[in-house]
Amino acid sequence: MDIDVRHAPSFAVARIGLAPGESVRAESGAMMAASGGIDVEAKAEGGLLKGLRRSVLGGESLFVTRFTAGGAGGWVDVAAQLPGDVTALEVGGGVNLARGAWLCSSDGVALDTKWGGFKNLAGGEGGFLVRAEGSGQVVAACYGALDEVALREGETLVLDSGHLVAFEDGLSFTTRKVTRGLMQSLTSGEGLVFDFTGPGRLWTQSRNPGALVTWLTAKLPFSRG
């Protein structure tokens, strides 16, 4: 699988080049365009229960779309719903992605869900993460600009959960409330954060999708019964 990213960093599109017979799995609705001869199949990967767990807990679609190239090979263009950048990550031992960050991955990568903290129970962005294991690449999408942060052994970073995109297995982390008490949370606008400790890499996004939803909810008119 060959990945070529264009229109970055604001409106990135990843072109996935496929050899004859090669496949890529993508988030439902992520395809923008494809070359002729690409076979398209949508199904709940790993069975219905595993697909439901990934959908409800991990923030991804119930159905995953598989694109398979014919005898001449081909390509598929994938893009995220929100404006921002995308990046290709080597899975290696394992990569953990925030809700909604997974865009597509190669055939050797298995996806599941992993508990990432209590933010999800409060209706926020964190909670369950999408866990990628195996051999191959994952394309992760972000809202806004993308930053890669490398932490040395023992180095720490405090990150608002809404700005997380992905992190490697080498990092350890805990989650906590950044402020004390309800009034402090309401006045500061802060919620829960990740405390990461190196060594390892993580990827962050400059905008918070949850904050966008909150802002739109406050601005958009609502129907009265």
Side-chain angles (χ1 to χ4, degrees), residues 51-222:
L52 280 170
R53 185 168 69 245
R54 190 177 60 250
S55 174
V56 175
L57 304 181
E60 307 296 338
S61 297
L62 169 61
F63 293 97
V64 171
T65 305
R66 179 185 294 271
F67 300 94
T68 304
W75 54 265
V76 179
D77 280 351
V78 292
Q81 295 178 351
L82 293 175
D85 210 347
V86 301
T87 186
L89 309 177
E90 287 289 342
V91 172
V95 173
N96 308 282
L97 299 103
R99 291 170 59 90
W102 177 73
L103 193 59
C104 70
S105 54
S106 50
D107 245 358
V109 175
L111 300 175
D112 208 336
T113 52
K114 173 184 177 181
W115 175 243
F118 287 97
K119 183 73 169 178
N120 191 66
L121 297 181
E125 304 87 359
F128 286 90
L129 303 163
V130 174
R131 167 79 177 167
E133 295 179 326
S135 176
Q137 292 178 298
V138 166
V139 176
C142 75
Y143 177 33
L146 183 77
D147 277 318
E148 179 182 324
V149 182
L151 297 180
R152 298 184 298 273
E153 178 76 39
E155 187 177 7
T156 61
L157 174 73
V158 180
L159 180 69
D160 181 272
S161 61
H163 291 270
L164 175 67
V165 176
F167 62 93
E168 293 178 329
D169 268 357
L171 289 168
S172 61
F173 71 95
T174 58
T175 58
R176 62 180 172 87
K177 289 181 64 176
V178 72
T179 55
R180 296 180 182 176
L182 177 61
M183 290 307 299
Q184 283 181 297
S185 295
L186 291 175
T187 55
S188 68
E190 302 296 337
L192 296 194
V193 297
F194 286 103
D195 286 313
F196 285 104
T197 303
R201 294 181 298 166
L202 68 150
W203 292 263
T204 67
Q205 56 192 359
S206 63
R207 296 292 182 267
N208 183 340
L212 173 64
V213 172
T214 301
W215 182 84
L216 287 174
T217 302
K219 296 295 182 181
L220 291 175
F222 60 92

Side-chain angles (χ1 to χ4, degrees), residues 15-18 31-40 67-70 72-77:
R15 174 160 292 186
I16 313 301
L18 300 173
M31 189 198 85
M32 188 182 82
S35 61
I38 296 290
D39 180 67
V40 182
F67 300 94
T68 304
W75 54 265
V76 179
D77 280 351

